[in-house]
Amino acid sequence: MVREEESFLQDVTEKIKKRIEKIDQTLLTGQKEIENMHDYYWENYTEMDQYGYEDYDNQQALLSQVNANQEAAKQKQRFLKMLDSPYFGRVDFVYSGETEKEPFYIGIGNFAEEAGSIPLIYDWRAPVAGLFYDYDKGEASYEAPAGVMTGEIISKWQYKIRNGRMIYAFESDTKIDDDILKEELGSSSDVQLKNIVRTIQKEQNAIIRNQRDKILVIQGAAGSGKTSVALHRAAYLLYHDRKNLKASDILILSPNSVFADYISHILPELGEENIQEMSFDLFAYRELRGITDDCEDRYHHLERMMKYPDAEQSRRFQKKQSSEFIGEMEGFLAILEDRLMDFREVSFRGIKKTEEELIRLFYFKFQDLPLLARMDAVREYVVDEYETLYGKELTEEEAEAVKAQFDRSYVTKDIYQIYSWFLEDNGYPPLPDISLGQRMTEYEDVYGLLYLKYRLLGRGKHRRIKHLIIDEMQDYSYLQYVILDMLFDCKMTILGDKAQTLDETVHDVCTFLPGIFGKKMRKITMNKSYRNTVQIASYAAQFSSDPDVELLERQGKEVEERQFQKEDDLLEAILEAVSAGEEMFETAAVLTRTEEEAEDIYHIWKSKGVQVSYIDRNSTSFRKGLTVTTFYMAKGLEFDQVFAVKDRKETPLDNQAAYISATRALHELYVFSLC
């Protein structure tokens, strides 16, 4: 059997090489065609027809050839990847009513000897691949375009192929053999997140292939593969809906740019283009330009909370993110008109509109429009009336002057000031009364201000985005989810772990999400953790409120807890442990509570010539080797070795920091503190 497998591998490899050679020839021919078109154009453009038809035809032909070459180049890259490891699984399947088994090889992408012929290797997202992920030996089925195909799985094989060489061929009754899974998960961490196509579990596969639910909420334990599953789901949806869904139609709201870099290779590895990424805080900052000069982000708030704990400030922050706060704002909006409006007569070019006429238009004809957008509609109506009646258009200068007249009917159009009115009316400290260029909005008010903007000016849905991925869902407030619902009317994948909250108390967002998204939402729980060893997971469990986490039984080194009198001794102990593990491990992280602590350690080591990287909120990349950062910047990342460092000072987030830090560790966890 082994000889047969090696023969098939060799045969497939040779055929892939031949396809690459054909593509190279196609690319060469295409490039010559492009060059010929360029030469023809420059030699003949003066003689082309005066109407531009020939020029247009030449440009279209050129564009078509360029696109064809780009597509061929993408195909070549995919086949080059397949040369390293063409497939990783095989299912021998006998269809109902037949006697001959049919082997299905499963790989990272489809491969057929010729375009349009039966594949030798099937893409992991193809319907038939579900046999590999979802079934043991015995009766099985998959849903094909022609309908449900039933039959029996005779045998299942798992392979590890590297550089075109068979490392092992393993027959197994189970979906993914535990030993293979442990080997994959137990290897040293990469600079980026691993794709999981070789080890997708049944429960993960069900989420990845879910096309039914509009909003899928994944509540998962640390290390359960939430982010990987979400990205593989995006790849699956792109594969199955190419007509309606492109990579540019998908947006991921990620915690920071480092995390975005950490996951950036997944989709290209799976044969897809990368998707858009941004943080919600950055989005809010951009949306509030012209209202405030600058905004704090979540990290400013966290640092202040840990350095200067203030129970009253924490209570006020939570209140401002709540449904109760939105209720207060809606009450304020209900009576705002009387305070905000001071109608003035308008006249231009012989046209006069009295206060009464403006009031009638404002409150009756355009009453359904947002308050600050309503007078613009009145103005456009009046101007259109004039231009239709007299057949004349206003000059740009006149239009600006007319707009200023209509705007006088507002006491103010400054949303910052209006929000400050609301705060003061409801017993909160008002915003500082300062000019736009001096405004720095604290984080507790950023999303309240954004909500008010949308209620006063309106906001259309982001129709271009057809699928939204929200990671670290536990760090979004009720108010933020309401705003997201205002912005997006598309399919969503929302994922997170309530135990990894950055709030002082653990809260489950799934308790209020149904009230926002309704019946179109489905919640799935992923309780099995694959990242940590038993020893690390057991240590982390004491800081978690979730007792139901299942573990992959992977044994490792006991967690090492030590106390130090001096910081120098603590730092030296870290370097000794990193040095001892450098032959086995690729990555190590020192995780502190605050940014100041992380920066201090980084500078000490840099001054001594230690090779170390530093990650803060402005960082954009994740590197191998030793890294210093805060626990909150490490969320979503994983490291071979983790050193959770605690200063003498207690903070309100010590418990969360301990849990998050511990669950970042793949193999070794050290908990070092100063006493």
Side-chain angles (χ1 to χ4, degrees):
M1 189 65 185
V2 173
R3 189 174 297 173
E4 180 186 331
E5 287 296 337
E6 288 179 346
S7 176
F8 179 80
L9 175 60
Q10 187 177 356
D11 182 51
V12 166
T13 302
E14 288 301 316
K15 287 174 178 176
I16 293 173
K17 288 178 180 177
K18 287 180 181 178
R19 281 291 299 277
I20 292 172
E21 289 173 5
K22 285 185 179 180
I23 293 172
D24 281 336
Q25 188 58 50
T26 301
L27 286 168
L28 186 61
T29 304
Q31 188 57 41
K32 287 181 179 178
E33 203 56 38
I34 291 170
E35 291 170 2
N36 290 338
M37 288 180 191
H38 278 297
D39 291 343
Y40 177 83
Y41 178 81
W42 290 112
E43 289 171 6
N44 298 280
Y45 77 97
T46 57
E47 301 174 11
M48 291 182 181
D49 66 273
Q50 60 179 321
Y51 301 107
Y53 294 130
E54 191 175 357
D55 182 29
Y56 176 79
D57 289 343
N58 189 75
Q59 292 297 323
Q60 289 299 109
L62 179 60
L63 180 63
S64 177
Q65 188 60 61
V66 169
N67 289 339
N69 265 31
Q70 289 175 343
E71 192 58 40
K74 287 181 186 176
Q75 196 177 48
K76 178 183 175 180
Q77 287 303 312
R78 182 163 62 83
F79 288 144
L80 284 171
K81 287 179 182 176
M82 291 186 76
L83 272 180
D84 177 62
S85 181
Y87 52 90
F88 53 81
R90 190 186 98 194
V91 178
D92 292 335
F93 190 65
V94 179
Y95 287 100
S96 296
E98 298 184 9
T99 56
E100 291 292 319
K101 69 178 183 183
E102 188 167 345
F104 296 109
Y105 286 86
I106 313 298
I108 205 77
N110 281 313
F111 174 72
E113 194 167 0
E114 298 290 340
S117 59
I118 296 174
L120 295 170
I121 301 167
Y122 288 84
D123 192 291
W124 66 277
R125 296 166 290 186
V128 74
L131 296 173
F132 179 74
Y133 295 118
D134 292 338
Y135 293 96
D136 301 337
K137 285 184 182 179
E139 292 184 1
S141 65
Y142 67 94
E143 194 166 337
V148 177
M149 312 302 289
T150 62
E152 183 181 359
I153 296 175
I154 302 303
S155 64
K156 293 180 62 174
W157 287 78
Q158 296 165 60
Y159 309 98
K160 185 169 184 177
I161 302 170
R162 289 291 179 269
N163 299 318
R165 290 178 57 250
M166 183 75 70
I167 308 299
Y168 61 67
F170 187 94
E171 186 176 10
S172 175
D173 289 342
T174 59
K175 304 170 293 301
I176 306 295
D177 185 79
D178 271 357
D179 290 335
I180 295 173
L181 182 58
K182 288 174 187 177
E183 182 186 346
E184 287 292 307
L185 300 171
S187 58
S188 296
S189 71
D190 296 318
V191 181
Q192 294 175 308
L193 188 69
K194 299 172 183 174
N195 80 64
I196 59 170
V197 291
R198 297 182 70 239
T199 59
I200 293 172
Q201 303 294 285
K202 185 176 181 178
E203 68 274 12
Q204 296 173 331
N205 195 47
I207 298 169
I208 290 168
R209 295 174 183 259
N210 184 306
Q211 298 184 75
R212 181 180 64 257
D213 297 299
K214 183 173 182 180
I215 297 176
L216 197 59
V217 178
I218 306 167
Q219 180 78 266
S224 58
K226 300 181 296 296
T227 302
S228 292
V229 165
L231 292 170
H232 284 66
R233 184 175 188 231
Y236 179 85
L237 295 172
L238 287 166
Y239 178 86
H240 281 272
D241 195 15
R242 296 219 182 271
K243 288 184 179 179
N244 302 308
L245 189 66
K246 304 187 295 292
S248 57
D249 299 329
I250 302 177
L251 171 66
I252 180 168
L253 293 181
S254 63
N256 52 64
S257 297
V258 173
F259 180 77
D261 176 62
Y262 185 62
I263 65 173
S264 63
H265 70 115
I266 290 288
L267 285 171
E269 276 188 10
L270 301 176
E272 304 294 342
E273 294 180 20
N274 248 325
I275 58 180
Q276 308 170 73
E277 169 280 326
M278 72 183 308
S279 75
F280 199 24
D281 286 349
L282 178 59
F283 173 84
Y285 166 70
R286 290 175 176 175
E287 287 287 282
L288 291 174
R289 285 176 180 170
I291 297 173
T292 182
D293 186 60
D294 205 352
C295 299
E296 289 186 342
D297 59 24
R298 183 66 184 265
Y299 301 135
H300 288 104
H301 172 72
L302 285 173
E303 287 287 330
R304 184 167 52 246
M305 185 167 57
M306 289 188 288
K307 289 180 183 177
Y308 314 108
D310 185 325
E312 175 57 27
Q313 192 176 49
S314 285
R315 185 201 63 79
R316 189 173 67 240
F317 173 82
Q318 293 299 331
K319 176 75 176 296
K320 286 184 176 182
Q321 313 307 311
S322 68
S323 60
E324 184 183 350
F325 188 72
I326 293 177
E328 291 176 345
M329 203 175 303
E330 289 298 323
F332 169 79
L333 286 166
I335 59 173
L336 177 62
E337 290 180 5
D338 291 339
R339 183 175 181 179
L340 192 62
M341 303 312 299
D342 181 19
F343 293 97
R344 312 276 186 90
E345 183 180 273
V346 171
S347 63
F348 63 97
R349 283 197 175 185
I351 297 291
K352 183 182 290 184
K353 291 293 180 182
T354 65
E355 293 176 27
E356 289 76 13
E357 289 175 302
L358 292 175
I359 289 171
R360 188 166 58 251
L361 289 168
F362 189 88
Y363 285 110
F364 295 97
K365 187 172 184 61
F366 298 107
Q367 62 178 332
D368 294 332
L369 293 180
L371 192 56
L372 289 185
R374 207 178 297 174
M375 192 55 77
D376 284 340
V378 173
R379 171 178 53 80
E380 289 173 6
Y381 177 83
V382 174
V383 170
D384 284 347
E385 189 179 57
Y386 163 80
E387 292 178 344
T388 303
L389 185 63
Y390 294 99
K392 298 179 181 178
E393 291 187 3
L394 298 181
T395 66
E396 197 172 313
E397 291 79 10
E398 286 175 324
E400 283 296 316
V402 171
K403 185 178 187 306
Q405 283 196 65
F406 278 91
D407 283 348
R408 286 185 312 179
S409 290
Y410 291 108
V411 174
T412 182
K413 292 186 75 176
D414 186 353
I415 295 172
Y416 179 94
Q417 184 180 346
I418 298 170
Y419 182 71
S420 190
W421 290 353
F422 156 70
L423 292 176
E424 195 167 17
D425 287 358
N426 286 273
Y428 303 97
L431 300 181
D433 186 13
I434 51 181
S435 63
L436 174 60
Q438 297 176 301
R439 293 172 182 173
M440 164 60 89
T441 301
E442 290 190 5
Y443 190 67
E444 68 179 53
D445 290 307
V446 167
Y447 290 95
L449 197 57
L450 187 59
Y451 180 86
L452 186 65
K453 175 189 173 180
Y454 291 157
R455 290 289 285 111
L456 290 174
L457 288 173
R459 175 72 200 207
K461 301 281 188 181
H462 279 278
R463 301 296 181 189
R464 191 174 59 80
I465 300 301
K466 297 178 181 178
H467 197 105
L468 180 68
I469 300 173
I470 303 173
D471 205 354
E472 304 293 349
M473 70 179 187
Q474 71 281 351
D475 293 333
Y476 291 77
S477 68
Y478 183 93
L479 174 60
Q480 288 173 312
Y481 278 111
V482 168
I483 292 173
L484 286 168
D485 188 50
M486 295 167 73
L487 293 172
F488 300 97
D489 185 24
C490 62
K491 289 191 171 184
M492 298 184 190
T493 304
I494 305 173
L495 57 140
D497 174 13
K498 62 184 177 183
Q500 294 186 59
T501 181
L502 294 178
D503 289 323
E504 291 182 49
T505 56
V506 174
H507 64 278
D508 188 357
V509 300
C510 291
T511 58
F512 61 69
L513 285 183
I516 298 172
F517 296 118
K519 292 181 179 180
K520 49 191 180 180
M521 179 193 124
R522 183 186 175 202
K523 177 188 172 185
I524 295 176
T525 301
M526 296 174 63
N527 275 334
K528 190 165 185 178
S529 177
Y530 300 98
R531 176 185 296 140
N532 312 123
T533 63
V534 171
Q535 289 77 10
I536 294 171
S538 299
Y539 176 85
Q542 65 185 298
F543 305 104
S544 171
S545 58
D546 189 356
D548 300 323
V549 177
E550 301 175 40
L551 300 178
L552 179 72
E553 291 289 325
R554 183 168 65 87
Q555 299 294 326
K557 184 176 183 290
E558 291 292 337
V559 177
E560 186 174 328
E561 295 183 85
R562 292 176 64 183
Q563 291 187 325
F564 298 84
Q565 294 286 339
K566 299 179 180 177
E567 185 182 42
D568 287 348
D569 294 340
L570 185 152
L571 297 183
E572 187 59 37
I574 292 174
L575 294 179
E576 287 175 4
V578 171
S579 178
E582 64 182 358
E583 294 294 322
M584 298 178 289
F585 304 133
E586 297 281 346
T587 57
V590 177
L591 305 183
T592 66
R593 298 296 196 263
T594 68
E595 196 171 56
E596 185 180 357
E597 294 165 13
E599 197 171 1
D600 178 55
I601 293 172
Y602 171 72
H603 286 304
I604 289 172
W605 276 342
K606 287 297 288 184
S607 68
K608 295 180 178 180
V610 177
Q611 291 294 312
V612 60
S613 300
Y614 176 56
I615 293 177
D616 64 9
R617 69 190 72 177
N618 298 314
S619 301
T620 57
S621 60
F622 181 64
R623 298 184 177 92
K624 284 186 180 181
L626 179 60
T627 297
V628 180
T629 189
T630 57
F631 75 95
Y632 56 80
M633 288 298 302
K635 289 179 67 175
L637 309 179
E638 59 184 30
F639 305 86
D640 295 317
Q641 295 172 300
V642 166
F643 301 86
V645 175
K646 187 179 182 309
D647 204 350
R648 296 180 179 91
K649 186 180 178 183
E650 300 289 328
T651 80
L653 294 180
D654 278 353
N655 196 74
Q656 290 89 326
Y659 178 75
I660 293 167
S661 297
T663 54
R664 300 310 94 201
L666 272 170
H667 305 294
E668 293 184 357
L669 173 64
Y670 301 83
V671 182
F672 291 173
S673 58
L674 291 170
C675 59

